Amino acid sequence: MDNLIEELLPFYALGALTDDERGLVEAYFGEHPEIRAQVEEMEFAASALPYSATPVEPSDHLKKRLMERIANDRRARSSVSADVSRPRPIKSQNKFRVTPQFSISALSLIITAVAIAFVFVLNEHVTRLRGEVDALQSALLAQAGTVEQLNRALGEVNARLPQTAPPSTLTTFAINGTAVQSNAHGQLIADPNDHSAVLIVSGLAPLPSGKVYQIWLLKENTPESAGLLDVDALGQGVSILMPDAAIGSFDALGISIEPEESSLQPTGDIVMLGEFN
Amino acid sequence: MRIKSKRNFPHSGDGLVRDELSDEALVSWVARGDDAALEILYDRYAPTVLGISLRINADQGMAEDVLQETFWRVWRHAAVYRPEFGSFASWLFRITHNLVVDFHRRHNVRPQSLRYDDHDAPDIDQAPDPNADVAEQAQSFFKHRQIRSALATLPEEQRQVIEMAYFYGMTRQEIAEATGEALGTIHTRARLGLQKLRRELEKQDFEG
């Protein structure tokens, strides 16, 4: 084993390496998977260390504060989903005061007027929905045309490849929206043995200024940044990932919302997640 | 509508159910937005998390912030936890560890000398919470005794290196500088210390 790596292993297990040193060790794992068992033995000892601290019962107000924060967060998420999926309620204002003098004919007139208005509103709504469906169908047709063009181009490229070329091992992994953005979906296209991949997503919500989508590749629950994802007004985005390790060495891909300057670890909502198994 | 009622999540007040649900099952409920599942995990692990944080941070407020932030991150990132790569407890403590190490690196805090003999500190600093689950408390306490006993068997210099690295996130070079020892000596102490610690824990059938 490389001397430097051997020296770094205990500190890797103890979580006390710099980012560069950790990257060095993990790259070495990729080439020498047999070292993993040795590290796991050290990690077993390191994993016991948290229990060496004397347990201290936290005060009730800490738990209450946390659970209130979580309840607020859950309510905020629910209200966002509800706002998206539900038309805004119209506040009713009863400006008419019903008196015994109110004649039956006047009442009938009002009911008829309200019914006509209601039908008109419904018609408007249906017309708008039909327009949206037409627009979506046009967009779908345009996408289908693009896919067809790309397939043709791919076929031409494949035809030009030498016959001796190895068969393609390209794999497509589904990347789905989490509960935070359940409409989002996408695909990661990669050769698992390669160090690059193409990520295509759609259905992501626009972000407020100061926030960005950040891509993470996950290995054994440890996230590694794979860059930022630019999303257009339609919620679509494409990114080419070029991690240091082969795509197949990772377990999953996630996308989170982060501050504009990006983060070293995910700090915001995980909006999309896809496993490679 | 509360999600948990729709999905028939077991009532958290049911003692039997609390004992039966594994950490991994609970964290999968948390990933689906169930705060009752998070509350059970909090009850199980908050004392250990606060203990770790307090051991390193003399500042009570800072230690409590770490406790809050640790479980907040569990709430927000439960979806990325993968049980096949380690227990929930390992993942949770790694979150705590990262938060504390970040704190130390930002504030350049250095460790105090710590000993593990029985005269050093009481086993439980505060009275146990009467509402906490007795079996969970007993298990946590048992593990605490096991690791303290195992650490007490290490030579002082090996234990010191392990503590500086794990609890304070000090790099190899920083430990060498702080102790006045050669870098090679620090490497050897860390490796031998972890090996001996593992053997001692295995002797005691420690389950991580």
Side-chain angles (χ1 to χ4, degrees):
Chain A
M1 192 197 310
D2 184 303
N3 275 346
L4 174 62
I5 298 296
E6 189 170 11
E7 289 170 354
L8 294 179
L9 288 184
F11 294 90
Y12 178 82
L14 289 163
L17 292 182
T18 63
D19 290 344
D20 288 344
E21 288 172 335
R22 193 171 59 248
L24 202 63
V25 171
E26 287 175 351
Y28 193 82
F29 287 163
E31 295 161 15
H32 301 84
E34 71 279 4
I35 303 301
R36 192 68 227 175
Q38 194 178 330
V39 177
E40 279 170 7
E41 288 184 352
M42 294 183 186
E43 284 177 335
F44 171 76
S47 73
L49 290 169
Y51 292 102
S52 69
T54 303
V56 178
E57 204 62 52
S59 61
D60 288 343
H61 83 270
L62 287 176
K63 180 176 171 183
K64 193 176 165 208
R65 203 169 76 197
L66 174 73
M67 298 315 292
E68 279 173 359
R69 189 181 176 194
I70 284 169
N72 288 338
D73 181 58
R74 206 181 52 182
R75 273 196 294 274
R77 291 188 199 188
S78 307
S79 66
V80 167
S81 326
D83 281 351
V84 169
S85 60
R86 190 177 58 212
R88 288 181 184 282
I90 299 166
K91 195 182 272 185
S92 63
Q93 291 184 329
N94 184 8
K95 292 182 177 175
F96 297 99
R97 191 163 167 228
V98 179
T99 64
Q101 292 77 24
F102 221 89
S103 69
I104 292 172
S105 57
L107 255 177
S108 306
L109 204 63
I110 290 166
I111 290 168
T112 308
V114 169
I116 290 169
F118 185 62
V119 168
F120 179 75
V121 169
L122 273 182
N123 271 334
E124 284 287 303
H125 193 57
V126 168
T127 307
R128 189 170 56 80
L129 286 175
R130 279 186 180 147
E132 285 176 9
V133 168
D134 288 344
L136 286 171
Q137 279 177 339
S138 304
L140 197 60
L141 284 172
Q143 294 279 0
T146 309
V147 169
E148 200 177 327
Q149 281 176 358
L150 286 172
N151 276 337
R152 272 203 300 274
L154 188 62
E156 286 168 14
V157 170
N158 279 336
R160 286 186 210 139
L161 286 175
Q163 293 301 314
T164 51
S168 169
T169 54
L170 280 185
T171 309
T172 302
F173 303 102
I175 312 294
N176 298 315
T178 62
V180 181
Q181 289 198 27
S182 55
N183 290 332
H185 59 276
Q187 291 180 326
L188 182 75
I189 303 161
D191 176 345
N193 298 315
D194 204 350
H195 289 226
S196 64
V198 178
L199 175 69
I200 304 168
V201 300
S202 60
L204 279 171
L207 290 175
S209 72
K211 295 285 183 184
V212 292
Y213 286 114
Q214 190 164 357
I215 307 164
W216 304 94
L217 285 164
L218 306 170
K219 186 186 288 182
E220 299 184 5
N221 290 331
T222 304
E224 176 182 308
S225 176
L228 302 181
L229 176 67
D230 288 328
V231 174
D232 65 17
L234 297 173
Q236 298 171 338
V238 176
S239 179
I240 297 173
L241 316 185
M242 301 188 72
D244 291 336
I247 294 295
S249 69
F250 294 95
D251 312 309
L253 178 145
I255 298 174
S256 66
I257 299 173
E258 301 297 333
E260 201 161 39
E261 63 273 19
S262 83
S263 305
L264 295 175
Q265 290 189 37
T267 58
D269 281 333
I270 305 289
V271 295
M272 294 189 77
L273 187 67
E275 298 182 359
F276 297 166
N277 291 331
Chain B
M1 181 191 295
R2 284 175 70 90
I3 296 172
K4 68 180 181 184
S5 60
K6 194 166 79 176
R7 294 175 181 167
N8 294 322
F9 180 78
H11 193 274
S12 61
D14 183 338
L16 284 174
V17 168
R18 286 171 66 100
D19 289 344
E20 287 165 8
L21 288 173
S22 70
D23 293 344
E24 286 69 30
L26 286 167
V27 78
S28 72
W29 283 100
V30 175
R32 282 175 262 175
D34 199 303
D35 54 354
L38 185 89
E39 192 174 351
I40 298 175
L41 288 170
Y42 181 93
D43 290 342
R44 281 185 190 172
Y45 289 104
T48 306
V49 170
L50 185 58
I52 295 167
S53 189
L54 265 176
R55 178 170 164 191
I56 305 162
N57 296 311
D59 183 320
Q60 174 90 16
M62 186 68 72
E64 291 178 351
D65 285 348
V66 168
L67 170 69
Q68 292 266 318
E69 187 60 25
T70 297
F71 281 94
W72 175 250
R73 290 193 181 188
V74 170
W75 169 250
R76 296 299 286 269
H77 300 141
V80 301
Y81 167 69
R82 312 237 317 169
E84 59 269 37
F85 293 120
S87 66
F88 168 74
S90 302
W91 185 60
L92 177 75
F93 296 148
R94 200 183 312 150
I95 294 172
T96 310
H97 179 249
N98 288 341
L99 286 169
V100 172
V101 167
D102 281 350
F103 167 79
H104 278 279
R105 288 187 173 162
R106 267 185 283 130
H107 295 83
N108 200 25
V109 177
R110 287 294 172 261
Q112 304 296 313
S113 174
L114 295 164
R115 291 194 306 275
Y116 282 90
D117 54 70
D118 286 337
H119 310 290
D120 183 39
D123 288 319
I124 297 290
D125 288 340
Q126 296 183 2
D129 179 359
N131 298 319
D133 185 270
V134 175
E136 286 162 9
Q137 278 193 338
Q139 191 181 29
S140 174
F141 177 67
F142 185 60
K143 284 183 176 177
H144 171 64
R145 291 301 301 261
Q146 282 182 309
I147 179 65
R148 281 175 68 114
S149 160
L151 279 167
T153 67
L154 298 189
E156 171 72 19
E157 61 274 15
Q158 290 177 11
R159 187 174 52 71
Q160 186 187 38
V161 169
I162 288 174
E163 280 184 353
M164 285 175 151
Y166 183 80
F167 284 109
Y168 298 88
M170 292 174 74
T171 64
R172 308 169 297 138
Q173 293 85 350
E174 286 172 335
I175 297 171
E177 194 179 324
T179 57
E181 298 287 352
L183 197 55
T185 307
I186 300 304
H187 295 150
T188 307
R189 286 177 181 174
R191 191 177 66 253
L192 294 178
L194 283 179
Q195 286 170 351
K196 183 167 172 56
L197 186 59
R198 178 178 61 83
R199 284 196 300 273
E200 290 296 326
L201 289 169
E202 282 176 347
K203 272 189 212 168
Q204 300 183 39
D205 293 327
F206 180 87
E207 290 180 9

